[in-house]
Amino acid sequence: MAHIAAIGEVMVELSPFPVNDANGRDVMALSFAGDTYNTSVYMARLGLQTDYVTQLGDDPYSARILDAMKAENISTGFIKQLPGRSPGLYIIRNTPDGEREFFYWRKEAPARELFSNPDTTRELTEKLSKVNCVYLSGITLAIIGEEGRKALLQVLPQLREKGVQIAFDSNFRPRLWADRQQAQQAMRDILQFTDIALLTLDDEDLLWGDDSVEGCIERYKDVAIKELVLKRGASDTIIIQQGQQTRVPVPPVSNIVDTTGAGDTFNAGYLAGRLNGLSPVDAAKQGTRCAAAVIRHRGGVIDKAVFHKEIQG
């Protein structure tokens, strides 16, 4: 069984119920989410041996996060718990026009200290060298800060020398960066060591002011990415290998409820497919099926039985 490790942050999520309690107070549902965590859930469901790499606290909510991972068959052996700390938190607010707003409390989250300790980083690098693939995102890069990114850039080439593939989704969130220039440099640095790049053209537009396929190819022409996968929402997915483009149609989806996590879920389907021996085209088709299942339901992580029924139907 192929083995993947995803690096990032999992947070406590509070989302509103449609009705208040008897005293008019908001009623919130508690769950756990994060971009690479969401991907890890679906990769595990699709049969990959999946580890999650993060730092948590020793509080009750960190314990519940670990329990949630174990329930999803996500291994927790790469996770370090820091005494006296607790994970980040975000609240979802439904706006009158049906959209959703996100409010974060994450500045003190222990995940931000990933790769900040040389001894811990050496230990983690040794563990990561034994997996088939390491997956991370632009959010991972943002939260670990400049020093963490410098350490990570020393780790990735060591892993590739051991035959570990690196998969990366830019997942650009402007509020997490000092400015666009800082984010641009960090993304270009990481893509130098990336085998599979899973990019969304909406993010490319936010980051570079250009959402064209040609512009994306030009930007990364000097970066030795083996597979450049361009996600374009309802439009064809484009896979670029050795300068050749392949378009994979995205079937229309009816009854869309919530597009949160669609990209994360596509990534899970694609990476699970590739690591389990599917061609890039068939892996993209699997990623599209997974994303289509998720957007027909509310939340980034949907019920396991519902997910399997949807992708098999």
Side-chain angles (χ1 to χ4, degrees):
M1 181 187 296
H3 187 183
I4 192 166
I7 305 174
E9 179 183 21
V10 56
M11 292 178 288
V12 177
E13 176 192 88
L14 295 177
S15 56
F17 274 11
V19 295
N20 296 337
D21 70 4
N23 295 314
R25 297 172 297 190
D26 290 343
V27 178
M28 311 291 282
L30 185 148
S31 58
F32 310 106
D35 66 332
T36 58
Y37 172 72
N38 297 347
T39 300
S40 294
V41 169
Y42 293 113
M43 290 191 298
R45 291 180 183 182
L46 291 166
L48 284 185
Q49 181 182 345
T50 305
D51 264 278
Y52 198 67
V53 182
T54 193
Q55 293 189 153
L56 294 169
D58 57 356
D59 63 297
Y61 294 101
S62 292
R64 288 187 61 179
I65 288 171
L66 293 172
D67 288 342
M69 289 184 188
K70 291 171 184 174
E72 291 286 355
N73 293 317
I74 298 171
S75 297
T76 60
F78 289 31
I79 295 175
K80 185 177 180 61
Q81 291 183 263
L82 304 185
R85 305 290 292 279
S86 57
L89 163 75
Y90 71 97
I91 296 177
I92 300 171
R93 175 180 177 269
N94 293 332
T95 61
D97 60 1
E99 294 298 318
R100 307 207 303 168
E101 292 181 314
F102 298 83
F103 299 88
Y104 293 87
W105 292 262
R106 70 196 308 183
K107 290 183 179 180
E108 302 301 322
R112 288 179 170 262
E113 294 164 26
L114 279 166
F115 302 101
S116 65
N117 181 297
D119 292 334
T120 302
T121 298
R122 279 193 294 271
E123 180 183 344
L124 179 57
T125 303
E126 180 61 28
K127 290 182 178 180
L128 291 174
S129 69
K130 295 177 172 59
V131 308
N132 301 110
C133 183
V134 167
Y135 169 68
L136 65 158
S137 76
I139 293 178
T140 309
L141 296 184
I143 66 167
I144 64 176
E146 186 173 355
E147 292 306 311
R149 290 191 291 273
K150 288 179 180 178
L152 178 62
L153 289 172
Q154 298 297 314
V155 169
L156 296 183
Q158 296 177 45
L159 297 179
R160 295 182 89 196
E161 287 177 3
K162 297 290 183 69
V164 179
Q165 292 189 79
I166 308 300
F168 176 70
D169 180 347
S170 57
N171 214 355
F172 176 51
R173 297 293 180 267
R175 73 177 72 185
L176 295 178
W177 297 92
D179 51 48
R180 283 206 312 176
Q181 289 70 35
Q182 183 191 56
Q184 288 171 351
Q185 185 61 55
M187 303 291 186
R188 290 191 66 85
D189 287 344
I190 212 78
L191 287 167
Q192 297 287 341
F193 305 107
T194 295
D195 298 289
I196 302 174
L198 299 149
L199 309 183
T200 303
L201 286 189
D202 285 347
D203 284 340
E204 290 294 298
D205 190 25
L206 273 176
L207 185 57
W208 299 98
D210 170 31
D211 65 352
S212 69
V213 175
E214 294 74 18
C216 192
I217 294 171
E218 179 67 20
R219 269 191 299 282
Y220 305 123
K221 67 180 181 180
D222 297 326
V223 180
I225 299 170
K226 294 178 181 177
E227 294 176 29
L228 176 57
V229 183
L230 300 180
K231 297 172 287 181
R232 305 191 305 147
S235 300
D236 293 354
T237 301
I238 298 176
I239 303 169
I240 302 164
Q241 292 177 289
Q242 298 180 333
Q244 300 297 311
Q245 293 187 35
T246 303
R247 290 177 174 263
V248 183
V250 175
V253 180
S254 59
N255 303 318
I256 296 175
V257 174
D258 181 5
T259 59
T260 302
D264 302 334
T265 314
F266 175 94
N267 294 349
Y270 188 88
L271 292 172
R274 293 296 284 135
L275 291 173
N276 284 327
L278 293 184
S279 69
V281 169
D282 287 339
K285 289 178 180 178
Q286 176 167 274
T288 298
R289 288 196 302 274
C290 292
V294 166
I295 64 177
R296 285 195 287 262
H297 303 274
R298 188 163 296 283
V301 176
I302 67 174
D303 179 80
K304 186 185 298 186
V306 171
F307 173 73
H308 284 300
K309 181 179 179 180
E310 290 264 7
I311 64 171
Q312 292 167 4

